[in-house]
Amino acid sequence: VAYLGVMAPQDGVDLLIDAIQHLVEKRGRDDIAYVLIGSGDSYADLRALAHARGLDDHVTFTGRIPDEEVARTISSADVCVSPDPKNGLNDHSTMNKVLEYMALAKPIVAFDLKETRYSAGPAALYACCAVTLSPDVIGTKGLGRGNSAPQILRPPTAGSE
C-alpha cells in the first residue's frame, strides 16, 4: 500500500496510521507493507506516531525521493491511498497524488471528497466517515485523531452521481 504526498496536519496521514494499526492489531494483517512517500510539517510527528503504535515493521517512511524512485515505488504497490479528510480545502482541491496514481493505473482508496470523486470517478473506492476538520483543527498538529472505522463504498456507476 502506497501513499504519496505532503505530510501535514490536513493531509490525513495520521488517519492512515490509525487504519494500519487497526489492520495489524484487530484484523491480524501483518502481511501488508506500507510505504509513505513525502515529507512536510508533520513528517517527524507521523514517524513518531507509527513508532509509538508499534508499526515500525509495517510502515516505511521514505521522505522525499527522486521522481524515478517514486514511479518505481508506486508501480510496485497493489493499492494507493489518499487519506485526505473532508474540509473546505480538501473537498474542493484536486489531489495531485490521485492523478499520479491514476497515471500509473493503480487502484485508489480515498475518502469521499467532491473533487476526488470528480477526478478519480470509478478508479477509486470511497470510504465514508471522513473526519471533517474545522479551521482551528487544521492549524494544530491534530495527529492520531481517531475516528469511526470507515466503510468502503462502491465506485459510482455512470449516471449515479
Side-chain angles (χ1 to χ4, degrees):
V1 175
Y3 168 84
L4 168 64
V6 175
M7 295 183 192
Q10 74 277 1
D11 296 303
V13 181
D14 56 324
L15 300 174
L16 176 57
I17 291 171
D18 288 346
I20 294 168
Q21 181 181 18
H22 175 82
L23 288 169
V24 170
E25 292 181 3
K26 304 287 189 212
R27 301 288 184 142
R29 295 303 306 265
D30 60 0
D31 59 335
I32 303 171
Y34 303 87
V35 61
L36 282 57
I37 306 166
S39 63
D41 294 343
S42 297
Y43 182 79
D45 293 330
L46 291 164
R47 286 186 66 135
L49 180 63
H51 176 74
R53 303 264 181 100
L55 299 173
D56 291 337
D57 291 339
H58 306 282
V59 180
T60 300
F61 287 86
T62 67
R64 291 186 57 90
I65 56 177
D67 291 344
E68 299 79 25
E69 193 173 340
V70 169
R72 270 194 314 275
T73 303
I74 297 297
S75 293
S76 71
D78 292 318
V79 67
C80 296
V81 294
S82 182
D84 306 271
K86 185 176 184 74
N87 63 45
L89 174 65
N90 291 348
D91 202 32
H92 299 285
S93 299
T94 301
M95 300 300 167
N96 288 342
K97 68 176 90 31
V98 170
L99 302 178
E100 293 187 48
Y101 299 157
M102 290 171 53
L104 294 169
K106 303 314 290 187
I108 303 162
V109 174
F111 282 122
D112 194 7
L113 305 180
K114 179 179 179 179
E115 186 62 25
T116 301
R117 189 174 281 275
Y118 180 80
S119 300
L125 289 178
Y126 300 93
C128 73
C129 307
V131 174
T132 302
L133 297 179
S134 63
D136 58 314
V137 172
I138 293 170
T140 67
K141 290 188 180 188
L143 297 176
R145 289 183 292 268
N147 64 324
S148 59
Q151 298 174 346
I152 302 300
L153 303 177
R154 297 189 188 281
T157 56
S160 68
E161 297 180 89

